[in-house]
Amino acid sequence: MIDLRSDTVTKPSPAMRDAMARADVGDDIYGEDPTVNRLQEVGAALVGKRAALFVPSGTLGNQLSVRAQAEPGREVIVEGQAHIIRYEQGAAAALAGVQLHWVSGAHGLMTAEQVQAAIRPKDPYSIQTALICLETTHNAGGGTVYPLPTIQAIRAVATTHGLPMHLDGARLFNAVVASGVPAAEYARHFETVTFCLSKGLGAPAGSLIATDDPGVMERLRRFRRMYGGAMRQSGILAAGGLYALEHHIARLSEDHANAKRLAARLQQIPAVTIDPSRVETNILFFDVHSTKFSIPAFVAALKQEGVLINAVGGSTCRAVTHLDVSAEDIERAADHFARLLNNQAGASH
Ligand code: TLP
């Protein structure tokens, strides 16, 4: 199977498994797991923050960051297609008790003017804004990278209003590798930053939340326990994360090249609409206009050929490249797309 559904499907390599099997462990709720402690130190240093907290998932990283920085009844500004809105089961409302203020960004990216306009006035009637969340790379926006000047401009607005910022950096290192901007250069504009070890970096599970603020860290830790995300001998997982940080960051450029390769091949298929110039990292969205297949039938037919992708609504599909997919796999996957879609009479272009 050539699995392009997500970069979450990556499996630990033999070398990563070996590092996991050999990990020193202890009870992390007592702060005694040496491998978790090391991962938290290495992760914090990578993004230029004082401390980091290991959590089981990116979703939990986002939700703890929201809970720790926004009181119930406050408002959190977030782009309308953000993971926090679309894919976290309403947790910000259900668990943190906050209201999300959606701003519709171009390809997932808000502007400073939009953020400024979304901040509520301080008066006795208005709900009060507590937090601004950005996402880079932006998943539903098509793996888009926030330009640093845009982040700086939004930061300036946040500072004027005394508001903290959170970065959903599930794929922060894809942004780093694509842009050449160091992770710390992005992270310095945010009070909290999450990044996933389990996506393109290839660890089986886990994310880190990094912050400079000891008060925020204390709250993150308390809410991690409340939300059921505090673990015990989690050094086994942390060892996978450490291995990923040490070995799998620079190679993300291969995934980006493969995404561009796939986009270029798909563009040659008349029944596919894709703009390869929009493929910035490892995520591609494209539309399939088939006279032969409905979208579910196309996804199923592709699966029969040994290629997995996700349908994401309407005629739109998503493919994601990652470290378990080679350039040859991409060429083979593209051959299957072409065979299925070119082999039909009267395809609408
Ligand atoms: N994204 C997953 C799905 O949940 C959609 C995927 O396949 O892309 N932030 C961003 C930007 C993400 O893309 C994801 C996962 C998360 C947070 C959550 O990470 P996990 O799955 O570890 O909770």
Side-chain angles (χ1 to χ4, degrees):
M1 276 292 174
I2 301 170
D3 194 344
L4 301 172
R5 287 171 302 168
S6 182
D7 48 9
T8 59
V9 301
T10 50
K11 295 189 179 139
S13 63
M16 182 184 281
R17 282 173 184 268
D18 190 45
M20 294 171 72
R22 287 186 291 99
D24 273 345
V25 296
D27 191 328
D28 183 49
I29 293 185
Y30 290 99
E32 291 173 1
D33 189 302
T35 312
V36 170
N37 290 342
R38 171 126 185 82
L39 173 65
Q40 291 176 162
E41 281 160 26
V42 169
L46 257 180
V47 297
K49 296 284 187 205
R50 278 203 200 117
L53 190 68
F54 187 46
V55 293
S57 70
T59 299
L60 190 60
N62 283 336
Q63 291 304 323
L64 296 180
S65 300
V66 168
R67 183 67 187 86
Q69 296 176 100
E71 289 305 313
R74 302 287 193 198
E75 199 163 66
V76 174
I77 296 174
V78 63
E79 199 279 327
Q81 302 302 324
H83 196 275
I84 287 178
I85 284 189
R86 288 184 62 164
Y87 301 121
E88 300 190 5
Q89 300 296 330
L95 304 180
V98 298
Q99 178 164 298
L100 296 177
H101 187 142
W102 307 20
V103 171
S104 182
H107 307 288
L109 311 183
M110 301 185 285
T111 64
E113 293 71 27
Q114 287 180 305
V115 172
Q116 167 72 58
I119 294 171
R120 303 291 183 181
K122 285 209 178 343
D123 62 37
Y125 306 109
S126 300
I127 185 170
Q128 292 300 289
T129 308
L131 179 67
I132 299 164
C133 297
L134 310 190
E135 180 178 315
T136 199
T137 65
H138 197 290
N139 180 349
T144 33
V145 178
Y146 251 105
L148 190 58
T150 308
I151 294 177
Q152 288 164 336
I154 295 175
R155 174 76 252 179
V157 170
T159 302
T160 304
H161 293 269
L163 292 171
M165 304 230 297
H166 167 67
L167 180 63
D168 176 354
R171 297 184 181 82
L172 175 61
F173 290 98
N174 292 86
V176 166
V177 166
S179 66
V181 174
E185 212 23 65
Y186 286 123
R188 60 195 283 266
H189 301 292
F190 299 86
E191 276 71 10
T192 51
V193 174
T194 57
F195 57 96
C196 292
L197 304 160
S198 61
K199 307 227 157 33
L201 296 183
S207 293
L208 287 164
I209 316 172
T211 185
D212 279 330
D213 185 330
V216 169
M217 180 51 80
E218 200 270 321
R219 287 167 67 78
L220 290 170
R221 201 179 284 284
R222 181 156 66 84
F223 291 122
R224 182 182 68 166
R225 176 72 179 157
M226 183 190 284
Y227 283 31
M231 297 182 283
R232 301 290 181 177
Q233 287 72 28
S234 38
I236 291 178
L237 286 175
L242 270 170
Y243 186 92
L245 291 179
E246 280 155 16
H247 297 92
H248 291 167
I249 292 181
R251 65 149 308 287
L252 290 170
S253 60
E254 295 170 33
D255 302 341
H256 301 173
N258 279 338
K260 290 195 174 69
R261 184 172 280 122
L262 181 57
R265 287 286 312 272
L266 293 183
Q267 195 190 22
Q268 289 164 14
I269 301 172
V272 174
T273 305
I274 184 167
D275 179 355
S277 72
R278 290 235 50 89
V279 178
E280 295 181 45
T281 55
N282 69 328
I283 298 178
L284 302 83
F285 284 92
F286 51 92
D287 285 279
V288 174
H289 314 281
S290 170
T291 50
K292 187 169 157 197
F293 298 111
S294 66
I295 296 298
F298 173 64
V299 171
L302 209 50
K303 184 176 177 181
Q304 288 294 316
E305 305 272 325
V307 179
L308 297 175
I309 60 165
N310 271 335
V312 293
S315 59
T316 307
C317 299
R318 184 185 82 157
V320 185
T321 57
H322 53 76
L323 85 171
D324 289 345
V325 175
S326 66
E328 295 72 45
D329 291 334
I330 291 297
E331 297 295 348
R332 275 197 292 134
D335 290 343
H336 290 305
F337 271 88
R339 195 160 37 247
L340 286 172
L341 290 172
N342 288 340
N343 186 12
Q344 56 179 327
S348 55
H349 297 180

